[in-house]
Amino acid sequence: MRRVVLRHKLIGDILDACNKQLLKEPDNIEILMARGVALNLAERYTDAITDFVKINKKTSNVSSYYLKSDCHYQLQEFEEAKKDFMRATLLEDNPDMDMKDIEDVLVPDETELEEVELILEYERNKAILKSFPNLSEDINLN
């Protein structure tokens, strides 16, 4: 129980800090990403999607597509999840690809959700560690 309360407090603190910073720098991609990750952890998937869409309009960010895919998956919006997953993998393989081509991606019929789910979990964890590198050092449950 103590870990759950601590987790919610940490996420709340992170969201507060991100929101304050975004008032000063509304287009800061790193802060938008950190807030999107925190919103994902808080299970506020629709709000997280909004941040990831803002990021994707400004830059080609593989992680934001993976995380957006995860949010759609958690909301059981499986077709959208698969599309964003394909966008992320396409961008990962072709970092200089035109954004319009990425947005117009087609999802092969044989794309299985089980495969997508494992990769999304990995990408979510990677994004957490990248956005909050000192988080594991800051947590002391004793």
Side-chain angles (χ1 to χ4, degrees):
M1 178 68 170
R2 190 169 177 197
R3 284 182 183 213
V4 172
V5 171
L6 180 60
R7 178 179 178 207
H8 288 294
K9 179 172 178 9
L10 286 171
I11 292 170
D13 291 346
I14 291 167
L15 288 172
D16 289 344
C18 289
N19 288 335
K20 286 178 186 173
Q21 194 61 35
L22 285 168
L23 289 173
K24 299 173 190 173
E25 302 176 75
D27 295 328
N28 186 312
I29 299 299
E30 287 181 28
I31 303 297
L32 279 169
M33 187 68 165
R35 185 174 72 177
V37 170
L39 289 166
N40 181 303
L41 290 171
E43 299 178 2
R44 292 175 49 191
Y45 303 116
T46 303
D47 294 332
I49 288 170
T50 300
D51 280 353
F52 299 134
V53 167
K54 287 178 187 175
I55 293 166
N56 294 337
K57 285 183 179 178
K58 296 176 186 304
T59 186
S60 302
N61 188 303
V62 173
S63 291
S64 65
Y65 276 110
Y66 277 125
L67 290 164
K68 186 170 169 249
S69 177
D70 179 59
C71 291
H72 285 298
Y73 183 85
Q74 299 302 327
L75 292 168
Q76 298 186 355
E77 298 168 346
F78 300 122
E79 289 308 309
E80 285 301 313
K82 287 197 275 186
K83 283 181 191 174
D84 281 325
F85 178 81
M86 293 303 294
R87 289 175 179 129
T89 57
L90 187 63
L91 185 57
E92 198 166 40
D93 292 340
N94 306 285
D96 297 324
M97 190 169 191
D98 183 71
M99 289 305 293
K100 181 171 178 358
D101 293 333
I102 291 169
E103 288 299 317
D104 293 338
V105 70
L106 297 175
V107 179
D109 290 336
E110 66 272 5
T111 303
E112 296 293 328
L113 282 174
E114 293 81 22
E115 298 168 16
V116 171
E117 183 177 17
L118 290 173
I119 295 171
L120 291 179
E121 183 177 350
Y122 168 78
E123 291 295 333
R124 180 176 51 245
N125 290 333
K126 189 167 79 173
I128 292 167
L129 292 173
K130 185 176 180 183
S131 294
F132 314 114
N134 298 325
L135 188 61
S136 62
E137 296 169 11
D138 295 341
I139 297 174
N140 183 359
L141 296 176
N142 297 325

